[in-house]
Amino acid sequence: MERPAEPAPPRPESGVVRRAARIAALYALVAVAWIWYSDRALEALVSDPAARLQWGVWKGVAFVGVTALLLFALMVRAFGALDGTVRRLRLQEAELARFNRLYAALSQVNQAIVMSTSRDLLFPRVCEALVQHGGFRIAWIGVPSDPPGLLVPAAVAGDHLGYLSAVRVSPDDVPMGRGPSGTAFREGRTVVDNDLMASPPDLPWYAPARRSGLGAAASMPVREGGRVVGILSLYAGEAGYFREREIALLEEAATDLSFALDNFVREAERRRAQAAVAAEQRFSQALVDSVPGVLYLYDDELRFLRWNRSFEVTSGYTAEEIARMKPGDFFPPEDAARVGDRIELVFASGEASVEARLRARDGTLTPHLFTGRRVEVDGRPCLVGVGIDISERVRVEAALRESEERMRQLAENINEVFWLTDVTKAVMLYVSPAYERIWGRSRRELHEHPASWMDAVHPDDRERVVAAAQRQQEGTYDETYRIVRPDGSQRWVRDRAFPVRDAQGVVQRLVGTAVDVTDYLALQAQLDRARRLESIGQLTGGMAHDFNNLLTVILGNAEVLATRLGPGHALEPMARLVVEAAERGAALTQQLLAFARRQPLRPQVVDVNEVARSVVSLVAPMLGGRITCRLSVAPAPALARVDSVQLDNAVLNLCLNARDAMPEGGTLVVSTCVRRLEAGESGVGGPLTPGDYVELAVEDEGTGIVDEHMDRLFEPFFTTKGPGRGTGLGLPMVYGFVRQSGGDVRVWSRPGEGTRFALLLPGVPAPAAA
């Protein structure tokens, strides 16, 4: 902004001289005329010389007075004009000084704009320049607060009396926001108050402005990108300070300030763009160097233009050597021709790939997958390619082929049917040869008609199997059913299915096994019958022993009676009948004792799940129609080393007690599980050794056991049943057997809710798979 030239000192105007000459000439004429005509009049009117002399004196006095009055009037007019001229000159000088200060301040503002690189540097410099060089009392630049609600100083100068500390400026249309600063920000225009002290005293800024000696204020909006982002506010000590020319200059300063902010934004964007370009270049180079393989670029004359560090490391050649080589130099002859064909294909069609062995400097051959794409560099066709080391993939593929072969051999030689289908079971992906041996049907037929396996299911089992097959994707399908072979024979099959999921948990296919369990079920039936007989023997053993004692007494007394009566006595035949009956009873008791096999425990590893199933099958018919029996066993075999016969007896005893506890009916639950007991856990007999235990529980919904009976449950001959309904030996027998087996018993009961007995038996680890 240019500073105006200093005005030349005023020079006398020629018109003023002429007016003064005319006034002097007129005065001389009037004086001459007055003297001449007044003397003629006295001579004519006064004849006495003395009187005429006296009147001449008065005439002179009158002339002097009139002349003095005229001179006074002329001097008042002349000096008044001169004083006005002086005042105007002084005002002009003051205005000129003010403009000089403004121009000096604006010059400093422009220098600050040139020298500053950010608003944090610019704003304080602008405020200092306006106060020091512009003569303003206070200059500040306000910006919205964070959080919004106020305009706060980003920079301030000259506020020595704390005006801004006492004033809160709001950008909203509220009392604190209706001053020049808030209005300028809100309305985006210059706002001037040339007499702050003329404002109502109750305004928020009136008292602080009075204390700070502020007379006038002006605020201009500061913009960034066309949007108001702040205000430039200036305060002068005298009222009426801001006139049109000053306001125009200050608006120009605000415009320059806004232009500087826009420049900062553009400069920041330019720097960000430069930083982004530099970062992109660094990223590109890092990307090239970090590619897990060899990366290269060569032109249509097969000259290498660029490559990554991995190319040098993998090949063993230096950068200078690679620059002199051709692509075919890196492959053995048997692969070079195929690679050359693919290179020609890339330049012809745009893209191709090939698997080949990369030959290093030391002769090592490493299988790679090379992909190439045609690109243009400086208007010339080039090939950019990547080579990935596939040694591991080749090794894995070979291992996979070997594994698949082993799996095929295993699947084709095991007795179980191994099958694999898609999710819909519409496509049979694989079925092992055992299918033909068990089903008696061809695998080809199953591949062509995947649903044909269901046609072989026995009609009585088909509905159940169809319903269960809907759970195959859940992994809970485990069904045993009968199939009818083409020759009419039937076989029992246990069929299980398991879902195969991808990384996201979505089922992709189903895999399963089917086992012929016909012989197993036959053996299981025999075993169940043997266990039932053994359990009955154990239950009757004690009773048979007591009967044997009673029969001994009866037999002895009957023999004595028959002897004393003698032959021929009328009662002797009856005595003999008693003897014979006692002997037959004794023989029967001996048979029962032999059947019971009263002998020490014979522990062995058993699956408690199967024991539970066996007892439930034996007890279920004895429960009546009002009691429902439910079985829940562990998903995996629950192995324990116990005497299976004694375990059957114990569980049977508990089940019969549960039946007696539910005279109104209910549900009897027999369950098994494997649980880990930690240190400090205990049963009825005290603390248990930490480890894995098999839990076999019997739970009913009966009358429950009151608290005062809980401590006496396992005492011999203690019973809560009525007379003749129990001996009180059942639970002690169970407790003694479990404790002798290394376990313990836990009991839970609540009157009216039922009872739960849990037998804890030391677990046995499952045998390792062969």
Side-chain angles (χ1 to χ4, degrees):
M1 184 177 297
E2 296 182 358
R3 182 175 177 178
E6 294 286 343
R11 298 175 62 186
E13 296 289 342
S14 57
V16 175
V17 176
R18 288 194 297 270
R19 285 196 300 273
R22 285 196 298 271
I23 292 172
L26 179 61
Y27 177 75
L29 291 175
V30 171
V32 171
W34 169 265
I35 293 173
W36 193 81
Y37 283 109
S38 63
D39 287 342
R40 300 287 83 75
L42 285 176
E43 290 177 359
L45 296 175
V46 180
S47 57
D48 185 6
R52 191 167 49 246
L53 178 62
Q54 186 177 2
W55 277 102
V57 172
W58 286 107
K59 175 181 68 91
V61 171
F63 178 78
V64 172
V66 171
T67 303
L69 289 174
L70 290 175
L71 182 60
F72 175 76
L74 289 175
M75 290 180 68
V76 167
R77 181 177 180 182
F79 282 111
L82 181 62
D83 186 58
T85 299
V86 171
R87 284 198 302 271
R88 285 194 300 273
L89 288 176
R90 288 177 178 173
L91 289 175
Q92 289 176 357
E93 288 178 356
E95 184 175 0
L96 182 61
R98 186 165 59 250
F99 272 103
N100 285 338
R101 290 195 300 270
L102 276 178
Y103 280 115
L106 295 179
S107 176
Q108 293 297 321
V109 168
N110 288 333
Q111 291 183 25
I113 290 174
V114 173
M115 296 172 59
S116 301
T117 58
S118 68
R119 64 165 60 187
D120 294 336
L121 297 175
L122 175 62
F123 287 173
R125 291 174 177 174
V126 169
C127 292
E128 289 293 335
L130 291 172
V131 170
Q132 292 182 5
H133 299 279
F136 295 102
R137 288 286 181 88
I138 300 175
W140 70 288
I141 296 176
V143 296
S145 61
D146 185 19
L150 293 174
L151 290 177
V152 296
V156 61
D159 188 16
H160 305 300
L161 299 179
Y163 170 75
L164 293 176
S165 300
V167 174
R168 294 292 182 269
V169 181
S170 172
D172 302 321
D173 189 12
V174 296
M176 292 190 303
R178 292 173 184 158
S181 299
T183 304
F185 182 87
R186 186 171 58 256
E187 299 181 3
R189 63 181 180 87
T190 299
V191 179
V192 177
D193 187 344
N194 259 328
D195 193 353
L196 293 175
M197 295 299 100
S199 301
D202 59 346
L203 290 178
W205 60 85
Y206 182 85
R210 186 179 186 87
R211 286 195 302 270
S212 299
L214 306 180
S219 295
M220 286 71 65
V222 177
R223 291 176 168 83
E224 183 180 274
R227 181 176 59 88
V228 176
V229 297
I231 48 96
L232 171 61
S233 292
L234 303 171
Y235 295 84
E238 63 272 17
Y241 181 87
F242 298 99
R243 303 173 187 173
E244 291 185 6
R245 293 182 63 185
E246 286 85 346
I247 294 172
L249 290 175
L250 294 174
E251 286 179 341
E252 185 176 348
T255 301
D256 293 342
L257 190 60
S258 300
F259 179 75
L261 296 183
D262 290 339
N263 279 340
F264 292 157
V265 172
R266 287 191 291 269
E267 180 63 19
E269 291 176 351
R270 183 186 67 81
R271 291 179 179 175
R272 282 196 297 269
Q274 287 180 342
V277 170
E280 181 64 25
Q281 291 175 346
R282 292 192 299 271
F283 174 76
S284 298
Q285 186 60 42
L287 185 63
V288 168
D289 290 336
S290 62
V291 169
V294 296
L295 180 67
Y296 49 85
L297 173 71
Y298 51 81
D299 58 18
D300 53 353
E301 295 183 358
L302 306 183
R303 293 178 302 183
F304 283 97
L305 304 178
R306 189 176 179 182
W307 55 89
N308 64 350
R309 174 63 180 165
S310 180
F311 194 0
E312 300 175 12
V313 174
T314 302
S315 66
Y317 291 99
T318 65
E320 293 77 9
E321 291 172 330
I322 294 176
R324 297 192 298 267
M325 299 173 70
K326 300 291 185 181
D329 299 336
F330 294 92
F331 301 96
E334 55 270 27
D335 293 349
R338 188 171 70 258
V339 173
D341 293 340
R342 292 296 178 172
I343 292 175
E344 293 179 1
L345 182 60
V346 170
F347 281 109
S349 62
E351 186 175 357
S353 62
V354 64
E355 291 187 11
R357 294 168 296 168
L358 182 68
R359 183 174 61 188
R361 185 189 188 99
D362 60 2
T364 303
L365 297 176
T366 307
H368 278 70
L369 172 63
F370 295 94
T371 59
R373 183 184 296 272
R374 185 185 61 210
V375 295
E376 284 200 7
V377 177
D378 297 331
R380 187 169 187 175
C382 295
L383 185 150
V384 60
V386 176
I388 304 297
D389 186 346
I390 58 173
S391 301
E392 182 63 18
R393 194 199 76 184
V394 171
R395 186 192 65 78
V396 170
E397 288 176 349
L400 179 60
R401 286 192 296 270
E402 183 179 353
S403 176
E404 289 176 346
E405 177 61 21
R406 288 197 301 268
M407 181 64 186
R408 184 190 63 80
Q409 294 175 359
L410 176 64
E412 292 182 357
N413 289 279
I414 60 175
N415 293 326
E416 291 79 8
V417 177
F418 178 78
W419 54 268
L420 183 67
T421 72
D422 68 340
V423 177
T424 63
K425 296 188 68 82
V427 179
M428 179 62 66
L429 302 176
Y430 177 79
V431 62
S432 66
Y435 174 79
E436 297 180 349
R437 295 195 299 271
I438 298 176
W439 261 258
R441 303 167 186 266
S442 68
R443 290 186 292 168
R444 179 176 180 180
E445 178 185 0
L446 185 61
H447 280 292
E448 294 175 352
H449 305 286
S452 63
W453 71 276
M454 185 64 72
D455 298 336
V457 178
H458 194 282
D460 294 343
D461 300 339
R462 189 173 300 160
E463 182 178 356
R464 171 174 58 86
V465 174
V466 169
Q470 305 302 318
R471 305 193 306 270
Q472 289 184 347
Q473 293 191 33
E474 301 174 4
T476 59
Y477 176 79
D478 187 349
E479 292 295 321
T480 301
Y481 54 86
R482 292 165 292 175
I483 61 171
V484 180
R485 294 163 59 92
D487 59 3
S489 62
Q490 296 183 12
R491 306 294 293 178
W492 281 93
V493 174
R494 183 185 180 187
D495 192 11
R496 292 182 294 176
F498 309 93
V500 179
R501 306 177 186 273
D502 60 13
Q504 286 71 40
V506 179
V507 178
Q508 298 295 315
R509 58 184 62 88
L510 298 172
V511 62
T513 59
V515 184
D516 186 345
V517 294
T518 306
D519 297 337
Y520 170 79
L521 293 178
L523 293 174
Q524 185 67 40
Q526 295 176 3
L527 180 61
D528 290 342
R529 286 194 297 272
R531 285 177 175 173
R532 285 196 297 272
L533 292 175
E534 191 171 359
S535 298
I536 294 172
Q538 291 291 334
L539 289 173
T540 59
M543 297 174 60
H545 181 73
D546 293 339
F547 275 121
N548 188 58
N549 294 335
L550 294 174
L551 289 173
T552 300
V553 175
I554 294 172
L555 180 59
N557 286 282
E559 288 179 345
V560 171
L561 179 62
T563 302
R564 288 185 177 183
L565 290 175
H569 192 281
L571 297 178
E572 192 268 343
M574 297 179 65
R576 291 296 176 188
L577 288 176
V578 172
V579 171
E580 292 176 359
E583 289 177 345
R584 287 196 300 270
L588 179 61
T589 301
Q590 291 300 320
Q591 291 175 356
L592 290 175
L593 289 173
F595 172 74
R597 291 182 295 176
R598 302 293 298 272
Q599 55 190 351
L601 294 180
R602 302 174 65 181
Q604 58 183 333
V605 176
V606 298
D607 185 352
V608 179
N609 292 342
E610 298 302 325
V611 173
R613 292 190 180 96
S614 174
V615 173
V616 168
S617 66
L618 180 63
V619 169
M622 305 167 57
L623 298 178
R626 306 182 68 178
I627 297 178
T628 301
C629 184
R630 183 159 56 88
L631 175 65
S632 175
V633 299
L639 304 180
R641 183 178 295 276
V642 293
D643 188 319
S644 61
V645 175
Q646 293 295 333
L647 181 59
D648 284 343
N649 289 337
V651 179
L652 181 60
N653 194 315
L654 294 176
C655 289
L656 294 177
N657 285 346
R659 179 199 63 183
D660 296 340
M662 294 186 289
E664 302 299 327
T667 301
L668 171 64
V669 179
V670 179
S671 62
T672 65
C673 67
V674 177
R675 65 172 64 250
R676 177 80 178 178
L677 297 185
E678 304 296 338
E681 297 194 58
S682 62
V684 174
L688 287 164
T689 303
D692 293 327
Y693 285 77
V694 175
E695 178 185 279
L696 194 157
V698 177
E699 184 175 358
D700 63 63
E701 297 177 343
T703 57
I705 305 172
V706 296
D707 292 340
E708 55 266 26
H709 291 164
M710 292 294 289
D711 293 338
R712 302 188 61 193
L713 284 179
F714 300 101
E715 291 182 4
F717 305 108
F718 175 78
T719 179
T720 60
K721 299 179 181 179
R725 297 188 58 195
T727 63
L729 295 175
L731 289 179
M733 181 192 72
V734 172
Y735 177 73
F737 157 69
V738 175
R739 291 292 291 173
Q740 187 177 356
S741 300
D744 209 331
V745 181
R746 286 179 172 176
V747 184
W748 174 91
S749 183
R750 184 172 296 172
E753 296 185 12
T755 303
R756 184 177 189 271
F757 284 88
L759 309 184
L760 296 174
L761 304 171
V764 176

